[in-house]
Amino acid sequence: MVEVRFYDKEKVDDALLKFAVIIARSNGKWVFCKHKDRSTYEIPGGHREPGEAIIETARRELYEETGALEFSLSPAFVYSVTAPEYFDGRKTFGLICCADIQRFEEELHSEIEKIVLADEPVENWTYPLIQPKLMAEAQRRGIL
């Protein structure tokens, strides 16, 4: 069973944040990524590097996974995931950010094969028990 919980960003110690996930839009459309090794789609995001500020993780991952060159980015809330198949069942925390992308690079330079701009959220999720819940919480909080 996958448990996803949500927190105000001020309530969780920054040192616990291991991931940054960026719910992004561009020209009113949702931005999703397709990894080269998968047939599914996901919200841009990834692991925090040692010594990296979590907001820098969000900026770096947004660029690496979408090629975003010009964008606004703001931290929104924190989430946690507890699931037997992830991190030996230990609770992990991440920061959710929201972004509006104005301009993309012409070519991606990472493990991402392509990005998709969509009017509606994708149906073929890489993390179907997690990422749709993150989007729903952002919508519930009125930040999208």
Side-chain angles (χ1 to χ4, degrees), residues 8-69:
D8 292 333
K9 59 186 180 297
E10 302 80 17
K11 306 261 185 200
V12 177
D13 183 358
D14 178 82
L16 294 174
L17 302 175
K18 304 294 183 209
F19 298 92
V21 175
I22 308 93
I23 300 173
R25 296 186 55 98
S26 183
N27 292 320
K29 296 185 181 288
W30 299 109
V31 179
F32 299 100
C33 305
K34 183 192 169 295
H35 192 282
K36 290 176 181 175
D37 297 333
R38 301 181 189 118
S39 61
T40 53
Y41 294 88
E42 54 202 71
I43 299 169
H47 296 84
R48 184 181 201 173
E49 298 292 335
E52 186 175 52
I54 194 68
I55 196 70
E56 291 307 314
T57 302
R59 285 187 183 96
R60 176 180 53 77
E61 290 289 349
L62 186 63
Y63 169 72
E64 287 177 3
E65 296 200 348
T66 70
L69 293 173

